[in-house]
Amino acid sequence: MELDSILLPIKKDLILFDEKLKENLNSDSALISQVAMHLINRKGKRLRPAMVFLSYGACANLKVNSAFNLQVMSVALAVEFIHTATLLHDDVIDQSKVRRGQVSVNHKWNNMVSVLMGDFLLARALRLIVETKSLSLLSTASRATEKLSIGEMKEVQESHNFDLDEETYLQIISAKTASLFTASCESGALIAGVEKKVQERLKEYGENLGIAFQITDDLLDWLGESEKTGKGLGNDLKEGKITLPLIHTLRECDPRSRKKTLRLLENDFNQKDFDQILSLIKGNGGVEYARKRTTSFGQKALSFLSELEDSKYKKALQDLVSFVIQRDK
Ligand code: FPP
Ligand code: MG
């Protein structure tokens, strides 16, 4: 199913969201305006704001109508700003040249501009959440931001560790990616004012969806098409990031293949080496294993929605799970 069709119940909200996003990028700095124009040029999937709207709708069982709900719109904008800030910083860390199908900010301008634009967006996100006058929302967003910074730090720390195990990998992606998914869903539920146990279910949905999302992202780094993903392939390996298909392969393959792969990984490798490692992954079921794990995290995500009353928003949250697992971009 296409993402646009899944998000039809919040189409109006997303249109208003795009307008507000532009408004909120205004500042006195000409350079910030230029970078903002560049960022707006290629919008992302807007999954996190969509999750704020949908979680709110599914919990409140009301029409979302964000035009009249300042809190929902402010949090949706804030999570998108936090997400974009992390990408601006991440592209510096990963030395990426492409993002969302266009030249990345660090490559078009330089690292300083990318880091500072990230700081600006983070500050704007803070301001937006402060405007909601809700300490709970502020606490949710600040804890998620802290967690994703710790996750990224751990990933940096574990890079080139070819003994990385699945559990540590899952901890990293839970922190660096799932934390903002979790916060988006939790915020929607918080604004809807549902009881704690329903908030918890939405949080768990976000956590499991976020993990499934990142495993798929890591799989796409091996198998994807640049024109669709909008970013370079094989970047993870170049940065020494060991992800699930390779973790599984190094764990399962015969000792000779393991030794050979480690030798390739420890030295500077070229396209031929990448292809060799990829065929070893394919031969050892690394792709199937990663897919199996995304499916199981996806099912777990769905299970946390089961007790919510049926609505078009709940249906969209359910369909998002299939989208996240099957996506090729
Ligand atoms: C993308 O992962 C990066 C993240 C999900 C988190 C990045 C977090 C930080 C840089 C630290 C905190 C920053 C702020 C502003 C608080 P990826 O590299 O696997 O994905 P990619 O392939 O899209 O680059
Ligand atoms: Mg990256």
Side-chain angles (χ1 to χ4, degrees):
M1 209 173 170
E2 287 293 318
L3 187 57
D4 283 349
S5 340
I6 298 175
L7 301 181
L8 268 181
I10 50 165
K11 192 174 175 191
K12 276 196 188 140
D13 304 283
L14 287 173
I15 292 171
L16 189 61
F17 170 87
D18 286 341
E19 283 169 24
K20 298 268 175 204
L21 190 95
K22 279 189 202 135
E23 274 172 40
N24 274 282
L25 284 168
N26 281 335
S27 80
D28 294 340
S29 156
L31 185 51
I32 287 183
S33 302
Q34 281 168 30
V35 182
M37 289 282 284
H38 174 83
L39 292 172
I40 292 171
N41 197 26
R42 285 291 173 97
K43 57 182 183 209
K45 295 182 273 295
R46 300 173 301 177
L47 279 181
R48 296 155 188 81
M51 281 155 62
V52 177
F53 292 134
L54 293 173
S55 299
Y56 170 77
C59 287
N61 212 1
L62 288 169
K63 193 165 163 13
V64 173
N65 210 345
S66 52
F68 297 103
N69 194 323
L70 174 87
Q71 286 193 321
V72 175
M73 185 54 85
S74 297
V75 174
L77 290 165
V79 293
E80 186 65 5
F81 279 176
I82 296 171
H83 170 58
T84 311
T86 68
L87 295 183
L88 286 163
H89 286 189
D90 182 66
D91 283 343
V92 171
I93 296 168
D94 292 349
Q95 299 173 40
S96 305
K97 293 188 174 142
V98 204
R99 171 67 69 185
R100 290 177 177 165
Q102 62 175 1
V103 57
S104 56
V105 172
N106 53 311
H107 199 56
K108 186 172 162 118
W109 282 272
N110 54 49
N111 284 350
M112 280 182 293
V113 171
S114 199
V115 169
L116 290 169
M117 188 67 189
D119 294 344
F120 170 78
L121 291 179
L122 196 57
R124 268 287 147 96
L126 261 177
R127 196 212 285 194
L128 280 158
I129 300 182
V130 167
E131 277 166 9
T132 67
K133 297 190 171 65
S134 161
L135 270 186
S136 309
L137 291 173
L138 190 57
S139 157
T140 302
S142 57
R143 274 183 291 116
T145 311
E146 189 180 316
K147 196 170 169 193
L148 60 87
S149 308
I150 295 171
E152 185 83 354
M153 191 66 105
K154 178 117 178 125
E155 182 171 86
V156 167
Q157 210 185 333
E158 294 292 348
S159 72
H160 297 97
N161 171 11
F162 305 124
D163 290 323
L164 187 74
D165 59 27
E166 183 169 339
E167 200 191 325
T168 314
Y169 164 79
L170 289 175
Q171 278 167 7
I172 292 173
I173 66 172
S174 158
K176 78 163 187 175
T177 305
S179 55
L180 203 50
F181 278 70
T182 310
S184 303
C185 295
E186 184 184 5
S187 301
L190 266 167
I191 302 169
V194 285
E195 54 183 326
K196 193 88 191 145
K197 70 170 188 227
V198 184
Q199 278 174 38
E200 285 300 322
R201 282 189 211 127
L202 265 297
K203 271 175 82 172
E204 288 288 350
Y205 162 84
E207 163 79 8
N208 285 286
L209 185 72
I211 294 178
F213 178 92
Q214 188 60 46
I215 300 177
T216 310
D217 210 67
D218 293 343
L219 202 50
L220 286 174
D221 194 76
W222 287 101
L223 303 174
E225 294 166 44
S226 270
E227 303 76 53
K228 287 187 178 159
T229 61
K231 49 195 181 187
L233 300 184
N235 278 348
D236 289 343
L237 206 55
K238 277 183 218 142
E239 297 305 313
K241 270 197 242 169
I242 310 302
T243 59
L244 195 53
L246 186 56
I247 292 174
H248 174 82
T249 303
L250 289 172
R251 184 173 65 195
E252 300 297 325
C253 69
D254 61 84
R256 246 188 77 221
S257 305
R258 185 183 152 87
K259 215 167 153 192
K260 191 175 143 202
T261 311
L262 288 179
R263 208 170 332 114
L264 290 176
L265 290 171
E266 273 151 15
N267 299 305
D268 276 348
F269 53 86
N270 52 31
Q271 184 62 40
K272 208 170 125 240
D273 301 332
F274 177 85
D275 294 341
Q276 254 186 305
I277 300 175
L278 182 55
S279 79
L280 192 78
I281 288 179
K282 287 180 174 166
N284 281 277
V287 174
E288 283 85 8
Y289 181 74
R291 289 207 200 286
K292 200 176 94 190
R293 296 298 279 142
T294 55
T295 308
S296 99
F297 281 107
Q299 273 163 352
K300 207 165 162 206
L302 285 176
S303 73
F304 286 103
L305 297 178
S306 64
E307 284 178 46
L308 281 181
E309 214 171 295
D310 284 342
S311 67
K312 57 185 175 182
Y313 305 115
K314 173 179 168 178
K315 168 86 171 57
L317 288 173
Q318 288 168 325
D319 290 341
L320 268 187
V321 174
S322 320
F323 169 78
V324 156
I325 291 174
Q326 289 158 13
R327 73 198 175 94
D328 57 7
K329 54 184 178 193

